[in-house]
Amino acid sequence: MIEAKTKQNLLVWSLKKVFDKKDDRKHFKYTFLIDSNNYDSLIILFRYNPKDVKVDERLKMCLTELAIKSDCDAELLIKENKELKNLITLSIDSPHGYLGAAHRHNNNAKIIINQLKSSQGFLPSPITKGLWAITLSTHCILSNKVDVKIEVYAQ
Amino acid sequence: MKYLPFELHTHTQHSDGDFIVSELIENAKKAGLAGIALTDHNTYSGYNEASDEGKKLEVLVIPGIEWTTFYGHLTVLGGSASNDWRVVSPATIKENVLSARKSGACIGVAHPTRVGYPICTGGWDDFLLKPSEYGIFTHYEVWSYLNPSVQHANLLSERKYASICEENIRLACVYGRDWHRGDSNVVYAATYLGIQGDLSIDNALDAIRNGRTYISCGLHAIFVLNDTNGVEYNVGARVRAGEYRFSGKISYFSDYYTKLNSIEYMEISLIGNGGNYTVPINKDGFFEFNLKCKEKKYLQPVVYGNVKGIYSKLLLATPYFFE
Ligand SMILES: [Zn+2]
Ligand SMILES: [Zn+2]
């Protein structure tokens, strides 16, 4: 369970997905319909796991290649990066355009879109009826499997 | 014209910065900056608050965004917000950049040589452009992050910038602190913009578009390039091949910064495929010498000296281009 939901919240869209390495560095756009102008807010619960990835032999190779490309010391780069991170960001488009993104390493986020004040990273917006879109951008998928879960509630 | 210090690459909690918006503006004020560009990753949501806070403290805030793509990071300053970072790819980079330019934005490559994927996706410029193709941009982050003058990655960027200049392409030389948090007691630089007229967003963008910029650790500079008729040119100017007199004055930006980082200027050079001149800067900060440059060549002003006891470049300007 991501979070206990209150009774007034209507689940308008949800997603459960597993990303793997072939999904790395791609955009995945999902649309969902808001059917009335009677909502004040959208609440988006976004979670993915795992976050941290242990640097194994394969990633050591990867870091060695990176060091060669960046003209820096491979041993040092490997020493300084015992763990790497999966990074998926979520961006939102209202029927009227781009609202913003949550570009940070938090992998358990609650994003609120509201006419007066939205969560940091997103412009305030009325919850107008029409097609909304959530785009997941996989900046870095290093694990064999990354579980992603999204729930969108209208309030 | 006044050259005023700016920080053109900043983040807040609207993306992955630690700063709340007001802290960023307060820190900019404390550092003596005339302005900043707010460039949160893939969002403009902090701008209105930053602009309001900036007005209170007299710090100009340029609206911006860091297009944080899988193939490189680009700082987009000014212009309309309708351009979408998610469509940016090596296959379409030219049209993506030109569409942002058309909307009035300045757009340039951020930290072109930072370690990239899988540590920082897009940290390295992977747009696969040839040096001759960089004319689509307005600026290039020649220096990035802290201790800019001694960082190996910046040496790589300086070389890439030189290869772009060799193609007779003028990109404004800019610095990006990539400011995420209030780190104190660190060596950083600033981008000085040659502002014509009032201090405004349009005039700041105009300086970048026309290459009236230099980047420096704690030094303020006046550069004067005079042709034989006495006509004066700014840094970044395109001028005729021929004979010139180059003069100017270097001064310390603030006593506090100078003492904290033991800044000491020593020599000034003009370097590039158009020649190599070096003269000492006198104790009052003045220098002058004559030069001659052939067509399709460039010469970049560079000031050398000490920072925290290490001899290095202290200032780089957008070159003069000779036609
Ligand atoms: Zn960046
Ligand atoms: Zn940045």
Side-chain angles (χ1 to χ4, degrees), chain B residues 9 11 41 66 68 73-74 110-111 114 120 122-123 178:
Chain B
H9 189 156
H11 296 277
H41 297 289
E66 183 175 9
T68 309
H73 296 185
L74 305 170
H111 48 70
R114 180 174 297 174
C120 167
D178 209 348

Side-chain angles (χ1 to χ4, degrees), chain B residues 73-85:
Chain B
H73 296 185
L74 305 170
T75 52
V76 186
L77 314 177
S80 102
S82 62
N83 296 291
D84 189 341
W85 66 276

Side-chain angles (χ1 to χ4, degrees), chain A residues 24 69 71 93 98 121 139, chain B residues 42-43 85-86 117 121 126:
Chain A
D24 196 7
K69 176 175 173 173
D71 193 25
D93 293 80
Y98 187 67
H139 296 263
Chain B
N42 300 333
T43 186
W85 66 276
R86 295 165 298 189
Y117 178 90
T121 304
D126 270 324

Side-chain angles (χ1 to χ4, degrees), chain B residues 199-212:
Chain B
L199 177 58
S200 69
I201 293 168
D202 283 347
N203 289 340
L205 296 177
D206 185 69
I208 297 169
R209 228 174 265 124
N210 289 292
R212 291 193 307 273

Side-chain angles (χ1 to χ4, degrees), chain B residues 265-269 278-283 285-289:
Chain B
Y265 58 71
M266 295 169 130
E267 290 103 33
I268 178 151
S269 296
T278 300
V279 300
I281 301 165
N282 78 17
K283 65 174 180 11
F286 291 100
F287 63 88
E288 80 181 306
F289 59 93

Side-chain angles (χ1 to χ4, degrees), chain A residues 27-64:
Chain A
H27 301 288
F28 297 85
K29 184 174 178 179
Y30 306 96
T31 52
F32 56 91
L33 183 69
I34 295 294
D35 61 1
S36 94
N37 283 331
N38 296 331
Y39 302 112
D40 293 327
S41 303
L42 282 187
I43 300 160
I44 296 137
L45 306 178
F46 168 47
R47 186 165 72 170
Y48 65 94
N49 275 302
K51 182 67 198 173
D52 298 321
V53 190
K54 249 190 124 65
V55 172
D56 57 8
E57 287 310 309
R58 176 184 66 89
L59 285 176
K60 271 185 194 166
M61 285 288 288
C62 207
L63 289 175
T64 305

Side-chain angles (χ1 to χ4, degrees), chain A residues 24-27 63 66 69-71 81 91 93 98 101 103-104 120-123 135 137 139-140 142, chain B residues 13-16 41-45 65 68 70-71 85-86 115-119 121 124 126 152 156 159:
Chain A
D24 196 7
R25 282 168 288 173
K26 291 191 172 78
H27 301 288
L63 289 175
L66 177 66
K69 176 175 173 173
S70 335
D71 193 25
N81 291 280
S91 52
D93 293 80
Y98 187 67
H103 191 105
R104 55 182 79 88
Q120 296 196 98
F122 298 90
L123 296 168
T135 302
S137 303
H139 296 263
C140 202
L142 298 172
Chain B
Q13 289 180 10
H14 283 269
S15 60
D16 60 355
H41 297 289
N42 300 333
T43 186
Y44 286 103
S45 59
I65 188 167
T68 309
F70 309 145
Y71 319 98
W85 66 276
R86 295 165 298 189
V115 285
Y117 178 90
I119 293 177
T121 304
W124 184 274
D126 270 324
H152 183 65
L156 302 179
R159 284 185 203 147

